[in-house]
Amino acid sequence: MAVREVVTWGDPRLKKDSEDVGAWTPELDQLVADMFETALAEEGVGLAAPQIGINLNLAVIDCSCGEDPSQKIVLINPEIVREEGVQVGPEGCLSIPGIREVLERPMKVWVKNRKPDGSWEEITGEELLARAFCHEIDHLRGRLFVEYFGPVKRQVIQRKYQKHYQPA
Ligand code: NI
């Protein structure tokens, strides 16, 4: 397993639509293992493939941050099919280190997700997990959480990021 380099805000690979995962391969098992390890090393709850420069509809989530293997989730070609309620809370992104902003998200979401064996499942998440589903699936559509804010607030965040946090 290996920790991969995380690409950051401004990199064009974060803006692209990703392609669906096709037939499952041992290389994808390796990629998923690396993604979990990278998320853990960076202390993130989730990581989407575009964040390591791979434009595939693939993301990993672990709300236990490595504490509980049963909480590891692999999203493959996922799609939100239903959402319910509202939560308001802080959100951050490994591709925008140092920045955390309050953002409204649904309280509960239902996700249609493919499994490695090719079958489909429907999974649900509430609270932090719902937020993670929304955040990671946005990455697969080329969307960063800061893009939900208006141009003025986004510019303030961008200046703060560039001044204090943007990796050299
Ligand atoms: Ni993110």
Side-chain angles (χ1 to χ4, degrees):
M1 294 211 293
V3 172
R4 307 281 190 109
E5 193 183 336
V6 176
V7 300
T8 55
W9 195 10
D11 189 299
R13 290 171 289 183
L14 292 172
K15 299 287 297 171
K16 282 165 69 176
D17 258 343
S18 287
E19 284 177 25
D20 273 348
V21 174
W24 198 257
T25 62
E27 288 73 23
L28 287 168
D29 274 329
Q30 182 61 54
L31 176 60
V32 163
D34 287 357
M35 286 169 68
F36 274 118
E37 187 160 324
T38 303
L40 188 59
E42 306 283 339
E43 297 179 350
V45 161
L47 184 78
Q51 292 183 274
I52 52 169
I54 296 169
N55 285 106
L56 269 182
N57 284 324
L58 181 68
V60 301
I61 294 172
D62 177 5
C63 288
S64 81
C65 288
E67 294 295 314
D68 176 7
S70 75
Q71 291 192 40
K72 283 184 170 184
I73 294 171
V74 181
L75 294 178
I76 304 168
N77 305 343
E79 199 181 320
I80 292 174
V81 290
R82 191 180 151 202
E83 45 185 72
E84 196 177 273
V86 172
Q87 59 174 314
V88 178
E91 192 162 318
C93 179
L94 295 180
S95 292
I96 317 177
I99 300 295
R100 278 179 80 77
E101 295 291 334
V102 170
L103 182 65
E104 192 177 298
R105 292 285 196 183
M107 179 55 89
K108 185 171 183 184
V109 298
W110 286 253
V111 175
K112 184 184 165 207
N113 187 47
R114 207 194 83 176
K115 294 198 277 188
D117 69 10
S119 65
W120 291 84
E121 62 180 353
E122 193 173 278
I123 48 181
T124 60
E126 289 183 77
E127 300 188 16
L128 178 61
L129 184 54
R131 183 177 291 280
F133 282 155
C134 295
H135 182 106
E136 300 311 331
I137 291 171
D138 276 349
H139 271 301
L140 306 181
R141 314 290 188 258
R143 181 160 210 189
L144 297 173
F145 83 101
V146 290
E147 291 168 24
Y148 283 98
F149 302 119
V152 174
K153 176 157 187 179
R154 205 189 313 173
Q155 207 166 40
V156 170
I157 297 170
Q158 198 161 11
R159 285 214 196 95
K160 183 171 147 191
Y161 173 68
Q162 284 167 341
K163 192 167 172 196
H164 299 288
Y165 302 112
Q166 190 163 43

